[in-house]
Amino acid sequence: MAGILAGTSLGRVSSSLWPVSGDADGIRDLLAEWDAADDPRPLVIETSGSTGRPKRVLLSRDAMRASADATHARLGGPGRWELNLPPTYVAGVQVLYRTLHAGDSDRRYLSLVPTQLVRVLRSADRVAEVGRFDAVLVGGGPLRPAVRSEAERRGIRVVQTYGMSETCGGCVYDGVPLDGVEVRIVDDEVLVRGPMLFDGYEGEPDRNAAAFRDGWLVTNDLGHWGEDGRLRIDGRADDVIISGGVKVPAQAVARMIHEEVASPGVEVVGVPDPEWGERVVVVVAAMDPISLEHVRDLVEPRAWAPRQLVVVPEIPVLANGKPDREAMKKLALDA
């Protein structure tokens, strides 16, 4: 499975847990020592900054254990996890930590981001290999229904996860909170609490105060409960673009376009504009010729329609596989 996420390095380098850094083997050894210690201080996870300024997230051993135990309970038991994510981000750290708790289990699990799953589906050999896992967790961003359907049709057991560094990674699987996790929606915003919540941001008291509301983590994600009682994530509160006085939900617009355009990736961002305040820009990894007029016709209401199209070979991504929104904004401004 090596190579699904280009740029992941498993070479031996100096490793640490404060913040988590280094290679997979070194981090795994340190996690084993940390887990066995009498009273270890929290891990420090540096976030990617995909939704703003990077943060240093403090994760206690109790929180990590609660997350790992709830994950294995939901999936049917402990298992060995294969690493295909950077080992310094929360998803990669969890792969290493859960494996420490798996013992000699015969079950096998894999975690991917949506971009990786799309790449897997391009290769019959990779599909066969991934199909041998007992479950494939897919998180870190929106998963298109068409991609999931194709993966499941070809024998991959997909579990879509929702979570963040502040919740020790995924805390809601296929729209259902893990055991011990509570979710509520207030004014369309998703709030979470449970035993896997972080201890705060290192050295940022103001940010810590803003992160909680009466004991609930303010996720800054927008969502709703579906008719089936499952959580649906509609996008980020900070992904709303104000263009000409109209609130444009970037993720919803991207979904509309992606459903109709043959493309491995579609993203929508906002950039400063002298006339509109913010200009709605769609970035498309196009497989066929595409025009702005065609893209605009796919969006309803019309006031949400993009005013700029940027065509790229591939959607820019961060080291953890998430879309690099700042890079896309720069592409739009430089076009």
Side-chain angles (χ1 to χ4, degrees), residues 33 71 98 136 140 157 166 197-198 209 229 271 284 292 319 329:
E33 296 174 8
T71 291
R98 291 168 187 157
V136 178
R157 288 170 284 279
E166 291 86 344
L197 286 188
F198 74 132
V271 298
V284 181
L292 177 60
K329 291 178 183 180

Side-chain angles (χ1 to χ4, degrees), residues 105-327:
S105 172
D106 292 331
R107 297 181 68 82
R108 296 175 64 221
Y109 301 124
L110 181 67
S111 284
L112 301 174
V113 296
T115 300
Q116 291 174 296
L117 182 59
V118 169
R119 292 172 181 169
V120 166
L121 295 176
R122 296 174 185 167
S123 165
D125 289 342
R126 283 184 172 179
V127 167
E129 190 171 359
V130 173
R132 288 194 284 269
F133 286 88
D134 291 280
V136 178
L137 273 58
V138 182
L143 175 62
R144 285 194 298 140
V147 172
R148 176 171 187 160
S149 295
E150 180 184 354
E152 292 177 333
R153 178 180 60 79
R154 297 173 69 180
I156 297 174
R157 288 170 284 279
V158 174
V159 178
Q160 186 173 359
T161 70
Y162 166 74
M164 57 215 69
S165 298
E166 291 86 344
T167 59
C168 291
C171 62
V172 177
Y173 285 14
D174 284 335
V176 180
L178 294 179
D179 293 346
V181 177
E182 297 178 81
V183 177
R184 70 179 184 182
I185 297 173
V186 179
D187 296 330
D188 298 324
E189 189 168 37
V190 179
L191 306 181
V192 176
R193 71 178 178 186
M196 75 300 302
L197 286 188
F198 74 132
D199 283 358
Y201 301 112
E202 187 178 53
E204 297 195 71
D206 291 342
R207 204 172 205 174
N208 289 333
F212 290 94
R213 186 183 306 161
D214 298 327
W216 293 79
L217 174 66
V218 180
T219 67
N220 291 318
D221 288 318
L222 304 176
H224 68 278
W225 296 107
E227 293 183 0
D228 57 0
R230 296 175 184 266
L231 178 66
R232 300 285 190 270
I233 299 300
D234 299 321
R236 295 278 304 171
D238 48 13
D239 274 353
V240 174
I241 302 165
I242 310 298
S243 184
V246 176
K247 293 183 178 180
V248 180
Q251 202 170 106
V253 173
R255 279 199 300 267
M256 291 180 202
I257 297 170
H258 213 164
E259 287 172 0
E260 303 294 335
V261 171
S263 168
V266 175
E267 297 290 337
V268 171
V269 297
V271 298
D273 185 275
E275 179 179 357
W276 298 98
E278 282 189 286
R279 181 169 69 254
V280 181
V281 181
V282 59
V283 182
V284 181
M287 300 171 63
D288 301 310
I290 189 172
S291 68
L292 177 60
E293 291 74 21
H294 173 60
V295 168
R296 285 177 56 81
D297 287 341
L298 301 176
V299 178
E300 289 293 339
R302 187 70 171 186
W304 291 1
R307 298 186 179 278
Q308 182 181 355
L309 167 66
V310 176
V311 178
V312 294
E314 286 190 337
I315 297 294
V317 295
L318 297 161
N320 62 358
K322 292 184 180 182
D324 189 338
R325 306 189 73 79
E326 293 305 314

